[in-house]
Amino acid sequence: MGVQFSQPWWLLLLIPAGIFLYYAYRSDFRLGGFRKKLALGLRALIILLLIFVISGLHGFTVLRDKQVVYLADRSDSMGDTSRLEQWIAESIDAKGEQDGTALVSTGLEGAVERKLSTDIKAGASLNASVQGAFTGLEAGLQLAANAFEGRGDSRIVLLSDGEENVGNMAAAGRLLKDRGIAVDVLPVPRPEIRDAAVEELRVPDKLYQAEAFYVEVLINSTYAASGELRIYEDSREIGRQQVEVSPGENRYAVKGLAKSPGLHRYRAEIFMEGDESSANNAAFDFTRVDGPPNVLIVEGTPGTSGNITAALDSGMIGTEVIPPEMLSLEAAKYAAYDSIVFNNVSGSRVGGKQMELIEQSVRSFGTGFIMVGGEDSFGMGGYFKTPIEKALPVSMELEGKREIPSLGLILVIDRSGSMAGGKMELAKESAMRTVELLRSKDTVGVVAFDDNPWWVVPPQKLGDKKEVLEAIQGIQSAGGTNIYPALSSALDEMQEIKTQRRHIILMTDGQSAMGGSYDELTDSMVQQKITMSSVAVGMDSDTVLLQYLAEAAKGRYYFVEDETTLPAIFSREAVLLAKSYIVDKPFIPAVQNAGDWQFLFDQGVPGLLGYVATTPKSSAQVVLSSPEPDPVLARWQYGSGRTAAWSSDLSGKWSREWVSWPAFADTLTEIVKWTFPQFESSPYEVTAQAAGNRVNLQVVTNGDLPPEKLTAVVGGDEGDAQQVELIQEAPGRYTGEVNVLKPGAFLLSLEDHSSGTPVQAAPGTGFVVPYSPEYRISSGTGAEELTQLAQLTGGRVLDWDNPAEVFDRTAASRQVLHDLSYPLLAAALLLWVADIAVRRLALPWAAISSRLAHCLRRQPAPAPQAGHDAGLTRLAARKARAASFYGGGADTRP
């Protein structure tokens, strides 16, 4: 323990302080004797303490203990971590009693295993959860540096193979050096495995249809073997080749043919015997093939799309016709088409995931979309509040447009234990969406059943939809399945409902535990003109019973494998009750706002026999309308894409005159072409570079007026899209960053937000994030980089055979300062109070001084003289105190 001054030159104040005290001693005649000496002594101490405070008086302690933080690399390339735990435990056994140790793990990010402790039994277990697909030594070093308590000899021991692929440990090392923290490194050799990796796949950036090209593949291997190289285009195999792979880099070229236009994703995979790591066996790339446009036609009824395909073929537009069940679950699939046409497709046959992908493809990547009417389309198809309705220029509601019969609807919903989770949530969403479609004059009831029925919403007129929706939201799954009591209760309540149309919807995913007289129920329904539809969810449901009930009660039967179609089925049922969605009478459409399509209708338009009623959205452009008026043909811009709605059919049932009209092919072709992506010459150059778990985007434009605010819309294979606001680093140059945790193919488009409303800037490009560099075959430079880190920070390269070496060094002495300012100021304050007391209080100072002097000499105080009068003695003492207070001596007069 010692003391030191941080600003010792202030000690020169002691000279004028001494002069001041000497002058005060010589000139102050108000006090005298012991009292004067005591007051001057107190003042001297106060001044001395204040000068010490100003001079920065500090105490200090010299410490020689060691603090060590073990940083263990636990990325996937390290293999089994038990060898690290053993080495750390043996190292801790060699530490001193006062030495502290802490433990940190790192993968993509760092994680604290345990805090700093001097306990030799603190342990070396590595149990923290880390993302092992990346090696982020910089993040681990930063976290380890924060584990020190700011005293002692601080040192980090890094156990790693040095194969960093996220961050920059050299940058972290420079910061540690500035803080005086050394890094000792223990290079950990990678486990030797037999591994073949596809490190690179290259296809030309742009191709033309029918153009031959080569797919270039780079394979790196640690052993020699034969294998098979396969090439895929959009998950479809387009070639395979037997290859002989030797250790090191191997390059191959596989010939391909650009058959279909659009944006295509390519994948190369290697299959080799003895390969011990499969995480690095595939690589990806994108290319765009220009050529004749391609339109995907999804038809609800087989063979009803002939008029559409014939018209598009005449306009040199390629078509592909599929049923709705064949819609893809991959976002990249929809990017291969210029437009998608739904030809009288029921929403109950289109999964919720497919709807989301189509809506995203239109909004973010410019794919066109057209819905063609029919008895299973628009509101009749159950598209109310779906992603498809969001993309269309028309909505499915008809509020205030025409008189709709009053409806009585009871929903009978299975809430048994098997409905738990997603099924129950979708069932509730279905019921709520159905309620939202109904009018205030309609009557609705909801009964949920397990072993017994429970009336969630007793039959009532829809005065307050919010109250009904909240009640439905509270349904919970539990119990078994017993259909008959719930259905019987629903029928009893329905008989009391007086509406123009009455309907029951029964939904279950199981078998009824008990039977009942279902024939009596269905006969009673038919007699009282009550209809019932049934929905069987999954193969475990009683499909035979449910189909029989629907047919016997003059309703519809649905079998559902994809639960996401439930909301569309329920809303379709509610719409079918109204019937007025279909306007079944002849008319000639009126040209309302044709815009650039005016030339198509200059010679007039044919008549139609019917259509499905819809409501145009506020910003939609209604081109043709009916006398109601309802939109027959409407269009609008939706995000990056364009969509159109044709509310009549194109099979000939309602459009017999249209499909035989000589200008039909040209008109339909023009409508479809209008929805195609607007791939004009773009002034934007987009590059994407993967760096660890991040993708760095750079956009460069040479335009005269670069946008103030540019946003990148990035979509993955699973339909998820994220917006990345780009930062303008210089005029016309933008950068951004996208975080990714797994490899995949991503589509990218640009939006200009300068005006507040997003405007498409550069759609239709893509980038690929390959597998993590963690799984690449080692370059062997990790040990060298670790050595450089140790040299930079003043650390050492440790030995696997000598764990005790961590503490086999002399700790550098280090001073720990103790601030004495507050104690000194407190002492000065107390002495100041004492000084005031000495100068202001009238006390027997002479007696106090005498007693103190006798105490110091260890002699008893003199006793008062005997024989004196007590009164005279008190008077003499009082006069002595007065004389002492005013500076006079003792009164010696007789």
Side-chain angles (χ1 to χ4, degrees):
M1 182 69 181
V3 294
Q4 64 181 26
F5 295 92
S6 59
Q7 301 178 35
W9 52 85
W10 286 107
L11 294 176
L12 295 174
L13 291 175
L14 292 172
I15 297 175
I19 296 173
F20 166 75
L21 291 171
Y22 176 76
Y23 173 79
Y25 180 78
R26 300 287 296 178
S27 63
D28 191 355
F29 297 103
R30 295 184 60 192
L31 302 177
F34 167 75
R35 189 176 180 189
K36 180 177 182 180
K37 295 177 182 178
L38 181 59
L40 287 175
L42 291 174
R43 290 183 183 182
L45 285 175
I46 293 171
I47 294 173
L48 182 63
L49 291 177
L50 292 177
I51 292 175
F52 284 169
V53 171
I54 297 173
S55 303
L57 178 63
H58 289 80
F60 65 87
T61 304
V62 178
L63 299 176
R64 298 184 181 276
D65 59 331
K66 308 181 186 75
Q67 290 186 356
V68 175
V69 176
Y70 295 93
L71 175 58
D73 179 0
R74 290 178 53 207
S75 58
D76 292 347
S77 63
M78 293 289 291
D80 186 13
T81 59
S82 60
R83 52 179 178 165
L84 303 183
E85 294 178 348
Q86 181 180 356
W87 192 92
I88 294 173
E90 293 177 2
S91 173
I92 293 176
D93 290 340
K95 81 178 190 66
E97 182 178 353
Q98 298 300 320
D99 296 336
T101 62
L103 193 56
V104 174
S105 290
T106 188
L108 174 61
E109 301 287 349
V112 177
E113 298 280 0
R114 64 173 175 83
K115 296 181 179 180
L116 201 67
S117 171
T118 58
D119 187 359
I120 196 171
K121 298 180 179 180
S125 298
L126 302 175
N127 299 315
S129 177
V130 296
Q131 171 61 267
F134 298 94
T135 300
L137 298 183
E138 179 183 10
L141 289 169
Q142 291 173 349
L143 184 60
N146 294 329
F148 295 109
E149 295 182 352
R151 60 181 180 81
D153 187 321
S154 303
R155 190 171 292 261
I156 297 174
V157 176
L158 173 59
L159 300 86
S160 173
D161 57 8
E163 300 286 346
E164 183 183 39
N165 46 59
V166 176
N168 187 341
M169 62 178 171
R174 286 189 287 272
L175 295 176
L176 294 174
K177 179 183 178 182
D178 294 340
R179 292 179 55 182
I181 300 175
V183 180
D184 291 344
V185 298
L186 178 68
V188 181
R190 271 194 172 191
E192 294 185 3
I193 62 172
R194 292 160 60 88
D195 188 15
V198 181
E199 293 201 347
E200 188 178 275
L201 168 65
R202 285 188 178 182
V203 296
D205 294 334
K206 185 177 181 180
L207 295 169
Y208 292 96
Q209 191 174 14
E211 179 182 359
F213 66 98
Y214 284 95
V215 178
E216 299 179 5
V217 183
L218 171 62
I219 297 176
N220 198 356
S221 179
T222 62
Y223 69 109
S226 60
E228 186 175 66
L229 177 63
R230 299 177 187 175
I231 307 297
Y232 298 86
E233 180 187 73
D234 298 330
S235 301
R236 176 177 61 88
E237 184 178 323
I238 61 173
R240 63 173 60 192
Q241 179 177 323
Q242 294 294 325
V243 294
E244 294 293 331
V245 179
S246 58
E249 293 186 352
N250 302 263
R251 294 186 179 273
Y252 303 95
V254 180
K255 192 172 184 179
L257 181 66
K259 294 183 179 180
S260 57
L263 192 64
H264 295 285
R265 181 185 63 180
Y266 290 85
R267 182 174 84 253
E269 285 193 63
I270 184 67
F271 298 87
M272 290 179 57
E273 293 185 4
D275 189 356
E276 298 179 31
S277 176
S278 60
N280 54 12
N281 287 0
F284 302 86
D285 201 3
F286 266 106
T287 191
R288 173 169 289 281
V289 178
D290 291 335
N294 191 23
V295 174
L296 175 66
I297 300 174
V298 185
E299 61 178 9
T301 304
T304 58
S305 301
N307 295 325
I308 301 175
T309 57
L312 297 182
D313 287 344
S314 67
M316 301 299 294
I317 297 176
T319 59
E320 180 182 347
V321 181
I322 63 170
E325 290 77 13
M326 295 294 292
L327 284 168
S328 176
L329 288 170
E330 296 182 27
K333 287 284 188 180
Y334 298 102
Y337 301 101
D338 296 274
S339 189
I340 301 170
V341 177
F342 268 28
N343 180 21
N344 193 25
V345 177
S346 171
S348 62
R349 300 173 62 188
V350 183
K353 184 69 172 180
Q354 289 91 329
M355 288 192 188
E356 292 176 1
L357 291 174
I358 292 172
E359 185 270 340
Q360 179 202 333
S361 183
V362 174
R363 171 174 45 84
S364 298
F365 307 112
T367 305
F369 182 78
I370 300 175
M371 179 170 281
V372 175
E375 293 182 344
D376 291 330
S377 189
F378 292 102
M380 301 296 292
Y383 288 98
F384 176 67
K385 283 201 170 182
T386 62
I388 293 294
E389 184 195 38
K390 187 189 297 185
L392 286 172
V394 296
S395 64
M396 310 305 158
E397 288 189 283
L398 304 180
E399 188 69 38
K401 299 194 66 173
R402 55 178 55 79
E403 183 64 25
I404 295 178
S406 60
L407 307 177
L409 179 64
I410 293 181
L411 307 178
V412 184
I413 299 176
D414 184 356
R415 70 157 190 157
S416 61
S418 60
M419 289 288 293
K423 285 184 185 178
M424 194 71 255
E425 293 303 315
L426 286 168
K428 291 191 289 186
E429 181 185 344
S430 305
M432 294 167 67
R433 192 178 295 181
T434 304
V435 170
E436 290 178 350
L437 270 172
L438 300 179
R439 316 301 172 93
S440 58
K441 66 180 181 180
D442 296 332
T443 300
V444 66
V446 180
V447 57
F449 67 92
D450 42 32
D451 299 301
N452 298 293
W454 166 48
W455 279 97
V456 181
V457 179
Q460 58 186 271
K461 283 195 173 183
L462 270 178
D464 185 1
K465 286 186 179 182
K466 182 179 179 181
E467 182 179 341
V468 174
L469 295 176
E470 289 177 351
I472 294 173
Q473 188 64 45
I475 300 176
Q476 301 295 327
S477 58
T481 303
N482 196 0
I483 298 175
Y484 184 83
L487 204 55
S488 177
S489 178
L491 178 58
D492 291 341
E493 294 291 337
M494 183 64 81
Q495 291 172 352
E496 304 298 323
I497 297 175
K498 305 302 180 183
T499 55
Q500 293 171 284
R501 293 176 184 172
R502 296 180 292 177
H503 188 64
I504 298 173
I505 302 177
L506 168 65
M507 189 210 73
T508 179
D509 72 337
Q511 305 271 345
S512 183
M514 300 177 65
S517 181
Y518 291 106
D519 290 338
E520 293 182 6
L521 292 179
T522 55
D523 290 343
S524 179
M525 290 179 188
V526 173
Q527 290 174 5
Q528 301 183 58
K529 296 184 179 180
I530 299 171
T531 56
M532 180 177 68
S533 295
S534 61
V535 183
V537 183
M539 296 301 298
D540 293 334
S541 58
D542 194 341
T543 56
V544 175
L545 173 62
L546 295 175
Q547 185 172 3
Y548 165 75
L549 290 174
E551 292 174 354
K554 309 300 182 184
R556 288 158 295 278
Y557 165 72
Y558 300 89
F559 174 73
V560 174
E561 289 185 307
D562 183 356
E563 295 93 346
T564 60
T565 62
L566 284 174
I569 290 175
F570 273 65
S571 58
R572 181 173 188 265
E573 280 292 300
V575 169
L576 286 173
L577 283 176
K579 299 289 186 183
S580 59
Y581 274 74
I582 295 180
V583 180
D584 197 356
K585 59 183 179 181
F587 70 98
I588 297 177
V591 180
Q592 184 170 331
N593 183 15
D596 56 349
W597 284 352
Q598 184 63 47
F599 73 96
L600 297 173
F601 312 117
D602 283 341
Q603 303 302 318
V605 295
L608 292 169
L609 300 177
Y611 65 95
V612 181
T614 59
T615 301
K617 294 179 180 177
S618 58
S619 57
Q621 178 185 351
V622 179
V623 180
L624 299 177
S625 63
S626 72
E628 294 296 335
D630 291 320
V632 174
L633 176 61
R635 67 179 185 177
W636 76 340
Q637 181 83 31
Y638 180 71
S640 303
R642 294 174 169 183
T643 67
W646 171 261
S647 61
S648 187
D649 76 324
L650 289 178
S651 64
K653 179 180 179 181
W654 296 332
S655 58
R656 185 168 60 246
E657 295 181 20
W658 268 80
V659 296
S660 60
W661 181 34
F664 169 71
D666 292 340
T667 302
L668 181 59
T669 300
E670 191 64 32
I671 292 172
V672 173
K673 282 183 177 179
W674 181 85
T675 66
F676 287 169
Q678 306 304 296
F679 292 123
E680 299 175 356
S681 178
S682 173
Y684 296 92
E685 179 183 350
V686 182
T687 57
Q689 183 177 7
N693 66 317
R694 299 186 299 271
V695 174
N696 298 317
L697 303 177
Q698 183 173 10
V699 179
V700 178
T701 178
N702 297 320
D704 296 333
L705 295 173
E708 297 179 1
K709 187 176 181 181
L710 197 63
T711 299
V713 181
V714 180
D717 284 340
E718 299 180 356
D720 52 326
Q722 55 178 314
Q723 290 193 350
V724 181
E725 186 172 340
L726 302 178
I727 300 173
Q728 187 170 187
E729 295 184 336
R733 188 174 69 197
Y734 307 82
T735 59
E737 185 177 276
V738 183
N739 288 328
V740 292
L741 293 178
K742 61 181 181 179
F746 297 85
L747 302 178
L748 182 145
S749 63
L750 296 177
E751 291 181 352
D752 183 356
H753 289 254
S754 301
S755 61
T757 302
V759 177
Q760 188 66 23
T765 186
F767 63 89
V768 169
V769 177
Y771 55 81
S772 169
E774 185 71 20
Y775 306 118
R776 288 184 176 273
I777 294 177
S778 174
S779 60
T781 60
E784 180 180 347
E785 294 180 4
L786 290 175
T787 302
Q788 293 175 355
L789 175 65
Q791 294 174 349
L792 173 65
T793 60
R796 302 166 296 170
V797 178
L798 303 178
D799 189 357
W800 267 101
D801 298 327
N802 188 13
E805 186 181 4
V806 173
F807 296 96
D808 185 15
R809 56 187 172 80
T810 302
S813 61
R814 183 172 301 184
Q815 289 184 355
V816 177
L817 297 179
H818 308 288
D819 189 4
L820 300 179
S821 300
Y822 290 107
L824 292 176
L825 287 173
L829 178 62
L830 293 175
L831 292 174
W832 177 60
V833 173
D835 176 60
I836 294 175
V838 169
R839 288 185 288 109
R840 297 296 183 185
L841 295 180
L843 297 176
W845 296 107
I848 293 173
S849 172
S850 176
R851 289 181 179 273
L852 287 175
H854 283 292
C855 288
L856 292 175
R857 292 195 297 270
R858 297 183 179 180
Q859 295 180 1
Q865 295 181 5
H868 280 240
D869 183 75
L872 292 175
T873 301
R874 288 195 296 272
L875 178 61
R878 199 175 292 119
K879 290 176 65 178
R881 287 198 297 272
S884 176
F885 179 77
Y886 289 104
D891 190 0
T892 57
R893 291 177 299 176

